[in-house]
Amino acid sequence: VQLQASGGGLVQAGDSLRLSCVASGRTSSRYAVGWFRQAPGKEREFVTAIIWNVGRTYYADSVKGRFTISRDNAKNTVYLQMNSLKPEDTAVYYCAAATRYFSTNLETGQLYDFWGQGTQVTVSS
């Protein structure tokens, strides 16, 4: 499975961005797809995830109410709609896919088998 993330950029606080993660290769509707981010000098952190076949979603507390994850089955694409962006959202954002998981451990990066290359999001104050 190959994942291609895109859509990052430089925006101002309060603006919106939509990231895309296109999956190709031997994909499966049973996968979980997550977004993680890593800011300079910080650990990678979980942002959100979606169980592809049922559409159930999970969010980190820091983004609840501002970020929305969704998927387009026809395009094999997962989107991350980010609204009301804050400077602390600045990071490289990665999408990842997990083939084996429980809903209780989707926040664990080591769970994910496939990773995209990352896209930079910079939010200025």
Side-chain angles (χ1 to χ4, degrees), residues 52-68:
W52 193 290
N53 58 354
V54 297
R56 181 168 292 178
T57 58
Y58 304 83
Y59 295 93
D61 288 342
S62 58
V63 305
K64 280 181 182 176
R66 300 189 299 123
F67 290 12
T68 303

Side-chain angles (χ1 to χ4, degrees), residues 103-117:
S103 61
T104 53
N105 65 359
L106 287 169
E107 298 183 6
T108 305
Q110 290 85 345
L111 176 73
Y112 292 76
D113 305 286
F114 308 102
W115 290 81
Q117 84 289 2

Side-chain angles (χ1 to χ4, degrees), residues 54-94:
V54 297
R56 181 168 292 178
T57 58
Y58 304 83
Y59 295 93
D61 288 342
S62 58
V63 305
K64 280 181 182 176
R66 300 189 299 123
F67 290 12
T68 303
I69 189 171
S70 62
R71 88 276 196 228
D72 184 326
N73 292 334
K75 296 182 178 180
N76 263 2
T77 300
V78 171
Y79 299 102
L80 177 59
Q81 178 66 44
M82 305 186 294
N83 299 329
S84 302
L85 282 162
K86 304 175 181 180
E88 51 264 43
D89 294 317
T90 295
V92 177
Y93 283 71
Y94 299 90

Side-chain angles (χ1 to χ4, degrees), residues 1-3 22-31 33 52 76 97-99 113-114:
V1 175
Q2 293 79 45
L3 301 173
V22 180
S24 60
R26 299 186 67 178
T27 60
S28 169
S29 64
R30 292 189 295 274
Y31 288 177
V33 177
W52 193 290
N76 263 2
T99 59
D113 305 286
F114 308 102

